[in-house]
């Protein structure tokens, strides 16, 4: 197609036939070269086979060479425009272009006559196309008229012009938008489900300060199954748990919710960490054997100053001491949940006053470009310099590890601080203990000890009397049903009074209804009626602990 002749005759009349000597037919040329000189053409040579230009009635239509460029472009169903010169003046627009965007005057620069090209981000490409001689394309751009077009700008060799071809992709764009909307709603549903399954407000124990952060993956990533929880166990003890369900989407979030609910139920039994993990392992296999999950469950006892934990394939706990030194818990004590066939064990890591512990999921430290141990080391370095409240530490760790809204994985972080109390604040926290030696004569000594301690702690008379009564009942129960060694512990915090008695027998007491003629069996019922809460648990070395709490007036 000779655009030089075509562009010259655009304003004038159409010429139906171009110079015949300017074109050649490959089949005809081959026949001429094959025919001996002077041999007349055979009938078959004069009767070419029907071509694609024949009409539906079988009559021959106009041959391609008989059509001018204007007629070819005019018959295209897609909008086409020809721009000429360095200022891209309009030389021609076809009927489809006028139908889509309206008539356009010729001879006027496109920047003035074609505002749609600006909206489609085509105008900046025109100069590039002229300079480079290379086609440029913008894909699926929307116009104010509501349609979407993919526009290709092609240079015209030797003509100092650009051919603009716009393909209507409105249907494809709308289908893609519907798909994106569906995926966005699906992800929002999963995120909403997961956030609703996470604790809406963290419990704040007396001796710890806790904050947590959960950040779902970026918009292109389906939500995962990261979760955490804080559970007060009574007697000043606190359970901390964080886990990660492998996989993404609503299914992972649903499995996460079931595991979190199970953890809270098992925690109420006040079992050692490794026994809780053992129960979760069985449950995870029953829920869905294909959904592997990692989890770490830790218990903090303020009287021991450490975390007792069990880990099912989860990343190690990090603890920052008051001087900035970061300790790393031992490797996982067992494989991920749901694998079965493993006997889990518990480990310990010190958490003294002034220290900060961090529990986290792999989204915080795992990167495709580096080993996960390097990510844990980076987290340890960030933690060593992170000071402030637990929430401030959370935010600093997130920033230091480069986690943004576009991060490709879910991130959960749980920060636990054991504050060092000084001054008047320290006066609100006290401990006192008495070894219960001998036989029944230990009961009056325990009552006298409790009276003196509670008086020195300046409790109101009513609360002091209730505390002495509870001490008497707990000690009497231990003397009657327990075995040595026995010990009475009293602890006060800024919120409650805690009374605990330990002995060497591992049979846990239960509350029962005593008959009128019974001389015993009323101790636990009395404690349950006067105390704010009570409970019992087995101790690691064998034996049990029975405790009760009284809320202090604020």
């Amino acid at each position: 197609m000779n655009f030089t002749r075509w562009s010259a005759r655009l304003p004038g009349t159409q010429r139906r036939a171009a110079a015949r000597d300017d074109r050649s037919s490959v089949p005809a040329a081959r026949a001429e070269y094959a025919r001996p000189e002077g041999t007349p053409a055979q009938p078959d040579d004069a009767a070419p086979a029907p071509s694609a230009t024949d009409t539906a009635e079988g009559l021959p239509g106009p041959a391609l060479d008989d059509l001018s460029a204007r007629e070819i472009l005019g018959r295209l169903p897609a909008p086409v425009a020809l721009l000429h010169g360095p200022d891209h003046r309009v030389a021609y627009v076809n009927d489809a272009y006028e139908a889509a965007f309206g008539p356009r005057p010729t001879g006027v620069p496109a920047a003035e006559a074609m505002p749609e090209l600006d909206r489609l981000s085509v105008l900046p490409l025109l100069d590039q196309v002229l300079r480079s001689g290379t086609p440029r394309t913008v894909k699926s751009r929307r116009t104010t008229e509501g349609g979407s077009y993919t526009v290709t700008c092609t240079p015209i060799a030797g003509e100092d012009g650009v051919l603009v071809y716009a393909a209507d992709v409105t249907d494809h764009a709308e289908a893609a938008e519907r798909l994106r909307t569906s995926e966005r709603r699906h992800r929002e549903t999963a995120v909403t489900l997961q956030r609703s399954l996470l604790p809406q407000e963290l419990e704040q124990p007396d001796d710890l300060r806790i904050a947590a952060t959960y950040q779902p993956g970026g918009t292109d990533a389906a939500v995962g199954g990261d979760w955490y929880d804080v559970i007060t166990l009574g007697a000043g003890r606190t359970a901390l748990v964080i886990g990660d369900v492998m996989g993404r989407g609503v299914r992972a979030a649903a499995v996460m919710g079931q595991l979190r609910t199970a953890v809270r139920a098992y925690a109420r039994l006040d079992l050692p960490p490794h026994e809780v993990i053992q129960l979760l392992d069985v449950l995870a296999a029953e829920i869905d054997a294909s959904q592997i999950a990692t989890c770490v469950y830790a218990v903090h006892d303020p009287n021991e100053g450490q975390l007792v934990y069990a880990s099912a394939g989860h990343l190690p706990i990090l603890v920052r001491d008051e001087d900035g030194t970061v300790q790393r818990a031992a490797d996982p004590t067992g494989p991920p949940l749901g694998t079965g066939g493993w006997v889990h064990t518990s480990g310990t890591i010190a958490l003294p006053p002034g220290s900060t512990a961090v529990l986290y999921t792999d989204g915080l430290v795992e990167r495709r470009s580096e080993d996960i141990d390097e990510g844990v080391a980076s987290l340890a370095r960030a933690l060593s310099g992170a000071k402030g409240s637990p929430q401030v530490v959370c935010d600093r760790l997130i920033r230091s590890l480069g986690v943004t809204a576009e991060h490709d994985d879910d991130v959960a972080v749980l920060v636990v601080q054991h504050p060092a109390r000084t001054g008047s604040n320290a006066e609100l926290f006290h401990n006192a203990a008495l070894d219960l030696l001998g036989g029944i004569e230990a009961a009056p000594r325990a009552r006298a000890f409790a009276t003196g301690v509670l008086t020195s702690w300046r409790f109101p008379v009513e609360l002091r009397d209730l505390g002495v009564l509870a001490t008497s009942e707990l000690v009497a129960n231990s003397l009657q049903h327990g075995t040595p060694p026995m010990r009475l512990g009293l602890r006060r915090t800024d919120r409650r009074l805690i009374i605990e008695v330990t002995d060497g027998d591992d049979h846990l007491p239960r509350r029962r209804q005593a008959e009128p003629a019974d001389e015993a069996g009323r101790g636990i019922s009395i404690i349950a009626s006067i105390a704010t809460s009570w409970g019992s648990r087995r101790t690691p070395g064998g034996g049990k602990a029975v405790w009760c709490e009284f809320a202090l007036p604020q």
Side-chain angles (χ1 to χ4, degrees):
M1 184 181 298
N2 192 322
F3 276 97
T4 303
R5 295 197 306 272
W6 173 75
S7 59
R9 65 173 177 265
L10 271 178
T13 60
Q14 301 181 22
R15 290 191 294 177
R16 301 288 298 183
R20 296 299 180 179
D21 57 346
D22 286 346
R23 66 175 186 268
S24 62
S25 171
V26 173
R30 288 177 178 172
E32 286 293 333
Y33 290 131
R35 188 184 308 121
E37 185 177 355
T39 303
Q42 299 299 318
D44 289 343
D45 296 327
S51 67
T53 59
D54 290 352
T55 62
E57 291 78 7
L59 298 177
L64 180 61
D65 290 335
D66 291 332
L67 296 175
S68 68
R70 178 188 290 270
E71 290 175 316
I72 294 174
L73 299 179
R75 295 186 182 188
L76 292 178
V80 175
L82 178 64
L83 308 179
H84 187 268
D87 53 355
H88 315 298
R89 295 181 178 275
V90 180
Y92 169 77
V93 294
N94 68 353
D95 294 340
Y97 195 101
E98 293 185 348
F101 305 110
R104 293 295 180 260
T106 58
V108 180
E112 302 176 13
M114 295 177 152
E116 64 277 359
L117 297 187
D118 185 33
R119 293 192 292 268
L120 292 170
S121 303
V122 173
L123 287 180
L125 299 182
L126 298 178
D127 289 335
Q128 299 178 24
V129 171
L130 279 182
R131 286 196 305 268
S132 65
T134 304
R136 295 285 189 271
T137 300
V138 292
K139 295 183 178 181
S140 192
R141 298 299 175 88
R142 194 170 186 84
T143 66
T144 56
E145 291 80 4
S148 295
Y149 292 87
T150 292
V151 183
T152 299
C153 301
T154 303
I156 303 173
E159 293 295 327
D160 196 22
V162 177
L163 181 69
V164 179
Y165 179 90
D168 190 342
V169 293
T170 303
D171 292 342
H172 295 82
E174 290 177 351
E177 181 61 29
R178 287 194 297 268
L179 180 59
R180 287 192 294 268
T181 301
S182 177
E183 292 176 345
R184 184 168 57 251
R185 289 176 179 172
H186 180 79
R187 183 176 183 279
E188 289 172 353
T189 299
V191 171
T192 301
L193 172 62
Q194 185 167 22
R195 289 194 182 278
S196 66
L197 294 174
L198 292 174
Q200 303 304 302
E201 184 176 353
L202 289 177
E203 299 181 28
Q204 294 292 337
D206 298 358
D207 295 271
L208 301 175
R209 296 294 176 264
I210 302 176
T213 295
Y214 168 72
Q215 181 170 312
T219 55
D220 294 333
V223 69
D226 294 16
W227 57 287
Y228 56 83
D229 208 350
V230 177
I231 309 164
T232 53
L233 303 177
R237 301 166 69 250
T238 306
L240 310 166
V241 58
I242 194 165
D244 185 2
V245 178
M246 303 304 174
R248 295 186 176 278
V250 175
R251 179 60 182 168
V255 171
M256 175 272 289
Q258 295 178 75
L259 291 178
R260 176 176 175 256
T261 301
V263 167
R264 294 193 71 87
Y266 296 149
R268 297 305 176 191
L269 300 176
D270 217 338
L271 300 172
H274 64 275
E275 292 189 22
V276 172
I277 292 295
Q278 202 78 50
L279 292 172
L280 284 177
D281 184 37
V282 176
L283 178 64
E286 293 177 352
I287 293 175
D288 188 345
S290 65
Q291 289 284 107
I292 304 300
T294 63
C295 178
V296 61
Y297 179 88
V299 175
H300 174 257
D301 189 330
N303 297 317
E304 299 175 356
Q306 64 182 11
L307 288 177
V308 182
Y309 69 92
S311 173
H314 203 79
L315 294 167
I317 301 172
L318 300 181
V319 176
R320 177 189 182 275
D321 295 333
E322 197 168 13
D323 62 358
T325 304
V326 176
Q327 307 293 331
R328 175 174 171 171
D331 290 334
T333 58
L337 300 175
T339 56
W342 186 269
V343 178
H344 292 268
T345 58
S346 294
T348 61
I349 184 170
L351 188 68
S355 60
T356 300
V358 177
L359 294 78
Y360 52 95
T361 57
D362 59 359
L364 182 64
V365 297
E366 189 173 32
R367 303 292 183 271
R368 292 189 178 95
S369 59
E370 64 183 23
D371 186 81
I372 194 168
D373 287 336
E374 297 179 11
V376 175
S378 298
L379 175 61
R381 289 191 294 270
L383 177 61
S384 66
K387 298 181 180 179
S389 67
Q391 189 59 58
V392 170
V393 173
C394 267
D395 297 339
R396 288 182 176 177
L397 295 181
I398 291 288
R399 290 196 301 269
S400 298
L401 272 295
V403 177
T404 63
E406 290 74 32
H407 195 60
D408 61 356
D409 196 3
D410 289 21
V411 174
V413 183
L414 185 66
V415 174
V416 181
Q417 288 185 346
H418 185 187
R421 306 185 187 278
T422 57
S424 59
N425 191 29
E427 293 298 319
L428 300 176
F429 293 80
H430 291 285
N431 287 280
L434 174 69
D435 291 326
L436 302 175
L437 305 176
I440 59 174
E441 64 273 13
R445 289 201 303 271
R447 286 194 294 270
F449 176 78
T451 301
V453 169
L454 299 183
T455 300
S456 68
W457 289 349
R458 299 179 183 178
F459 283 151
V461 175
E462 181 180 358
L463 179 58
R464 183 189 64 193
D465 292 344
L466 290 175
V468 172
L469 176 58
T471 300
S472 178
E473 294 296 337
L474 288 177
V475 170
N477 183 77
S478 182
L479 291 173
Q480 183 174 359
H481 302 288
T483 59
M486 301 178 186
R487 184 179 177 86
L488 167 66
L490 301 176
R491 175 174 172 79
R492 74 153 295 169
T493 70
D494 58 343
R495 305 181 202 173
R496 70 199 77 225
L497 165 66
I498 302 169
I499 304 171
E500 184 176 69
V501 175
T502 60
D503 62 57
D505 185 82
D506 63 357
H507 290 84
L508 301 180
R510 60 185 179 85
R511 185 178 181 180
R512 64 184 181 88
Q513 184 68 40
E515 298 296 331
D518 291 344
E519 297 183 358
R522 296 181 176 85
I524 297 299
S525 295
I526 292 174
I527 292 173
S529 62
I530 64 175
T532 305
S533 61
W534 76 280
S536 62
R537 71 179 188 281
R538 291 186 174 88
T539 52
K544 67 177 180 293
V546 185
W547 55 269
C548 66
E549 294 181 350
F550 293 89
L552 300 184
Q554 299 300 315

